[in-house]
Amino acid sequence: MKKILLGAVLYVITAPFCLAQVKWQNVDSLYGSIPSSVHVFTTTDLIDGKPNIAYYVIADLKDRKLNFKTDTTYQRRFTPQQFYDKNQQPLLVVNGTFFDFATNRNLNAVIKDGKLVSYNVHTTALKGKDTLMYMHTFRSAIGINKKRKADVAWLYTDSSKKHAFASQEVYGPVKDSFPIVQHKIKSIKYTYRLHSELYKRRFQKWKMQTAIAGGPVLVQESTVKVTNNEERMFTGKAIDDKHPRTAMGYTADGKLIILVVQGRIPGIAEGASLTHLAKLLLDLGCVEALNLDGGGSSCMLVNGKETIKPSDKEGQRAVPGVFMITTD
């Protein structure tokens, strides 16, 4: 077990980080009627010396007039605008989960009204010299429970179970010869016996009312820690590539942060790396935060109006899952 854990390297920023703290401007007035517990901010300050456009929404989790929700599709995708129209025009719609373009399959967990309606893909078949071997990963999610407390955790999900199971400690990836991860006797474990005790200790029922998954985690315990290797998200130095981004986190005083960064528009908005994204979230006060699907999927609507400009030339990309804020 020690050998397995040593194989997963946590990406922690310890050296001086080349990103000055950006200045944000309140733009509530551009987005119509907004509750006093919600605010919209934007910045055009440079990121690492490159042009940048970013927006974030901050919402008070304790405001009972705000409802935090998700929606998802099955084997099809909708644009954020279509989700907006479908859900009686919520205050906020933002893209969330990753997906398979060929099948429209959602690749991440979604919890809607307390029910697990979409599941993480935990197993990938390996190739080449590792044929007949499998890689198991546990990707991250952000959830909000009935008491309006937010949490970022790493999930195990099973379509035969009502609840997701979560670990507050990052774990994996694990390579073995077993094609599935099994759930047995009230605890999570692989069929491979050496893993069973770890799952008993780490994974517990995650009773969230709303949750959406993606990855990797960007901020833990008010520190920039990118768990890209453990979640097996982006290969090589891809975490340093600049792209449009979507991310979410929460602060110690119960505020939810939803951040989007425009990108892939040379000379106007270059995008952000995962480490840039993590630093932005940390500077906004997040104690925990994670990355969601980015690139051409990144899009956030406030009262139906776009914040960043989507990078696809066709405009908003259809996606299988979104996070929303509605008002009573």
Side-chain angles (χ1 to χ4, degrees), residues 218-279:
L218 302 171
V219 177
Q220 296 172 268
E221 299 178 340
S222 300
T223 304
V224 172
K225 296 179 182 178
V226 182
T227 59
N228 182 64
N229 292 345
E230 292 84 352
E231 298 188 51
R232 201 173 174 83
M233 293 296 300
F234 304 100
T235 60
K237 297 182 178 180
I239 64 169
D240 296 321
D241 293 344
K242 294 182 177 66
H243 295 290
R245 301 287 183 183
T246 302
M248 290 178 62
Y250 67 94
T251 66
D253 62 348
K255 303 296 194 302
L256 189 69
I257 303 285
I258 306 105
L259 172 68
V260 288
V261 179
Q262 192 166 313
R264 297 180 181 169
I265 306 177
I268 297 174
E270 304 276 337
S273 70
L274 288 182
T275 48
H276 292 146
L277 194 64
K279 184 61 166 54

Side-chain angles (χ1 to χ4, degrees), residues 90-108:
L91 173 64
L92 176 140
V93 178
V94 67
N95 73 291
T97 54
F98 292 85
F99 61 91
D100 186 314
F101 274 98
T103 65
N104 295 323
R105 183 184 179 188
N106 200 335
L107 300 178
N108 298 112

Side-chain angles (χ1 to χ4, degrees), residues 76-96:
R76 60 178 177 165
R77 294 179 282 138
F78 292 152
T79 65
Q81 182 66 49
Q82 288 172 317
F83 275 111
Y84 174 78
D85 294 335
K86 174 177 178 281
N87 286 277
Q88 292 76 53
Q89 301 180 340
L91 173 64
L92 176 140
V93 178
V94 67
N95 73 291

Side-chain angles (χ1 to χ4, degrees), residues 70-207:
T70 57
D71 196 11
T72 189
T73 56
Y74 179 69
Q75 294 184 346
R76 60 178 177 165
R77 294 179 282 138
F78 292 152
T79 65
Q81 182 66 49
Q82 288 172 317
F83 275 111
Y84 174 78
D85 294 335
K86 174 177 178 281
N87 286 277
Q88 292 76 53
Q89 301 180 340
L91 173 64
L92 176 140
V93 178
V94 67
N95 73 291
T97 54
F98 292 85
F99 61 91
D100 186 314
F101 274 98
T103 65
N104 295 323
R105 183 184 179 188
N106 200 335
L107 300 178
N108 298 112
V110 176
I111 296 174
K112 179 180 179 180
D113 299 326
K115 295 180 180 180
L116 185 62
V117 295
S118 183
Y119 307 88
N120 277 352
V121 174
H122 291 295
T123 301
T124 304
L126 301 178
K127 300 177 182 179
K129 66 178 182 179
D130 287 324
T131 299
L132 302 181
M133 298 292 287
Y134 302 87
M135 187 68 71
H136 306 289
T137 53
F138 301 89
R139 288 178 176 161
S140 51
I142 184 165
I144 301 166
N145 65 20
K146 287 185 176 180
K147 294 182 179 180
R148 297 175 169 263
K149 301 281 189 179
D151 183 43
V152 170
W154 293 269
L155 300 191
Y156 169 80
T157 60
D158 185 328
S159 60
S160 68
K161 304 300 174 184
K162 293 181 180 180
H163 296 283
F165 290 77
S167 172
Q168 298 299 323
E169 302 173 69
V170 64
Y171 177 71
V174 174
K175 182 171 74 173
D176 60 27
S177 60
F178 297 94
I180 59 173
V181 180
Q182 290 188 342
H183 184 283
K184 294 182 178 179
I185 317 174
K186 297 183 180 179
S187 66
I188 305 298
K189 57 184 176 180
Y190 282 101
T191 50
Y192 188 38
R193 63 181 178 82
L194 290 182
H195 302 306
S196 62
E197 289 304 315
L198 185 63
Y199 284 109
K200 287 178 183 177
R201 292 198 308 271
R202 290 198 176 182
F203 284 84
Q204 304 292 329
K205 280 185 179 180
W206 203 48
K207 295 182 180 180

Side-chain angles (χ1 to χ4, degrees), residues 278-314:
K279 184 61 166 54
L280 288 171
L281 289 158
L282 183 66
D283 287 346
L284 291 174
C286 288
V287 294
E288 290 192 318
L290 81 158
N291 178 63
L292 296 169
D293 189 17
S297 298
S298 285
C299 180
M300 181 168 68
L301 308 181
V302 179
N303 280 329
K305 183 178 179 180
E306 288 182 353
T307 51
I308 64 167
K309 178 179 174 59
S311 64
D312 283 1
K313 63 181 181 180
E314 299 83 5

